[in-house]
Amino acid sequence: MDKYECEECGYVYNEAKGETGLNIKRGTTFESLPDSIVCSVCGASKNKLVKL
Ligand SMILES: [Zn+2]
C-alpha cells in the first residue's frame, strides 16, 4: 500500500487507512479513486497529490 501527499497542504492519503472524512474505505488504492476526488483538507484536485 502506498501513501500520497498533497503538494498544497501536506495532507497524506494512506491507502491502507483510507479516509473516513471522504467515505473512503481502508485499502482503497489512490488510482481507483475517482478523478473528482479532492484533498480532504484544502480541496486541491487529485493531481496535486503525489506518491511518497
Ligand atoms: Zn491539501
Side-chain angles (χ1 to χ4, degrees):
M1 297 262 95
D2 293 314
K3 294 178 182 175
Y4 291 79
E5 183 176 25
C6 176
E7 288 184 316
E8 300 291 322
C9 72
Y11 162 81
V12 174
Y13 174 68
N14 183 335
E15 292 181 338
K17 290 186 174 178
E19 177 54 64
T20 336
L22 294 176
N23 254 331
I24 300 167
K25 290 178 187 166
R26 276 182 280 177
T28 304
T29 61
F30 186 73
E31 276 194 354
S32 70
L33 296 173
D35 289 337
S36 59
I37 205 86
V38 296
C39 173
S40 68
V41 175
C42 72
S45 56
K46 186 179 178 183
N47 61 16
K48 291 289 184 186
L49 280 87
V50 294
K51 195 173 182 177
L52 290 179

